[in-house]
Amino acid sequence: MKWQQVRELFPDQFVLLSILDYREEEDKKIITEVAPIRAIPEKDVNRAFFNAGSGTIVYRTSNKDCVIHLRKDPLLRVGRRL
């Protein structure tokens, strides 16, 4: 299912999605095909986000596009200097 179809079915909601297809552009993963699993109530969004398995995401349908920003240096450590 295309992202625009998901937006029409679940207007302005968080939705748990299975990613079926995507393309990468620079530091972005642009999701092109998804399978909606279920709508997520506002109160359960954080738990659903952190419990999403491999190949699934929680995303809000108020966003025009479904895009994941990729981190190029995941081992970057941020902390205070002594």
Side-chain angles (χ1 to χ4, degrees), residues 4-65:
Q4 293 305 325
Q5 294 170 305
V6 175
R7 292 182 72 207
E8 291 170 12
L9 285 173
F10 302 95
D12 202 29
Q13 297 179 53
F14 284 99
V15 181
L16 179 63
L17 304 166
S18 177
I19 300 170
L20 302 178
D21 195 26
Y22 65 91
R23 69 179 188 277
E24 287 190 25
E25 292 180 8
E26 297 176 15
D27 61 344
K28 298 175 190 170
K29 184 183 282 189
I30 300 168
I31 311 302
T32 55
E33 192 81 25
V34 296
I37 298 171
R38 63 184 165 91
I40 306 291
E42 280 292 320
K43 64 181 179 68
D44 298 329
V45 169
N46 282 338
R47 184 176 352 165
F49 178 81
F50 287 107
N51 289 331
S54 179
T56 62
I57 59 169
V58 174
Y59 213 79
R60 187 163 186 96
T61 58
S62 61
N63 294 301
K64 183 179 178 187
D65 298 310

Side-chain angles (χ1 to χ4, degrees), residues 71 74-82:
R71 294 182 64 171
L75 299 177
L76 179 67
R77 293 180 63 161
V78 178
R80 40 178 214 180
R81 290 186 175 188
L82 299 175

